[in-house]
Amino acid sequence: MNVTIVGYNNCYKADVIKCLKRNFSWMKSRTNEDIEQWMQPLWNYHWLEELKYDYPYKNGCVILNELGRVVGYFGVVCSQRYDDNGRSYLYISPSYWALDKAYRIYLFTILKKVFDGADVIGDFSAIEHVEKILVNLYKFTYIDKRAMQFIPLPFFKKARLHFSLPSKNSFDEIQWREYEDNKQYGVKCIVCSSLNEKSFIYYKVVRIHFKHILPLKVVHLLKVTNPSFVNQFAHEIIWKLGKSERGIVQADFRFFNGRIPKYPLIRLRNKVRLALIKEGISLEEVDFLYSELSMLNDRQNRHWLL
């Protein structure tokens, strides 16, 4: 028994969908069309800046057995990004790993091939046994372990911030490309500013069912450029976002400078966020842009990862 690892191509689409259904219980009740719609962003994304890195698994990899049958699929979002010193790096964010049970002995071989060549890797939805492998074997670090959901409460104090939509002149060149690249998947951005400081807040509004019953809209934060500023004015920012989008704001701790902000009602949720930043890359923060959290949603704008 042996396997071959090849880059994803649409000729494998039907067999990959079958493999996903074998490995993800919630997919078994979905039609092939539903699964294709859900996975489409991973298979057909395009960025403004052409990738200059020779990476063979831009749209993930397909695992074939000795008979050429699809027995696994490892999804990957691949992008060229820039560290805090303006140096470009290859960023990959895994999404939807499926491997038939008989072939899971090849997991480490597959991961090594997928990770080779990447400078930064962000995994934001690892299941428990994969989490242990990434942390213990590949030396991923935890960038967050919990997320916060903010129960909507009005902000009655005098407004201290100005909120505005960004224009191209608001961004530097890298920020503008990030915004344009992710906007096509429903990512929004708002500029919060005081007299002396400001922060860009990138977010996505998705639909979930609380306890699988109550439909809710979630304003999910994907990136903030000034976490200490956002923490300082947390209540005003959360109320503005929740009110304007008519939803509940959800955010990871690091978007509030790693601290619980001063806010009356917060619901904590366990959310494992892992990252591997290789030597030579200067990067203070790993965000959710160019990942499954910013790109995936179904026809009704529901998100199955929140």
Side-chain angles (χ1 to χ4, degrees), residues 250-261:
Q250 177 171 312
D252 284 25
F253 273 59
R254 67 188 184 284
F255 295 145
F256 290 85
N257 214 27
R259 301 193 300 270
I260 296 179

Side-chain angles (χ1 to χ4, degrees), residues 75-77 92-97 114-115 121-125 140 292:
V76 169
V77 180
I92 68 170
S93 183
S95 178
Y96 284 97
W97 292 352
V114 171
F115 293 163
I121 306 164
D123 192 326
F124 309 126
S125 60
F140 277 63
E292 61 186 4

Side-chain angles (χ1 to χ4, degrees), residues 6 29 37 49 109 148 180 230 248 268 287 292-293 304:
V6 298
S29 62
Q37 174 77 16
E49 185 172 22
T109 301
M148 297 172 284
E180 288 295 314
V230 172
I248 294 176
L268 298 180
D287 57 56
E292 61 186 4
L293 294 183
W304 297 333

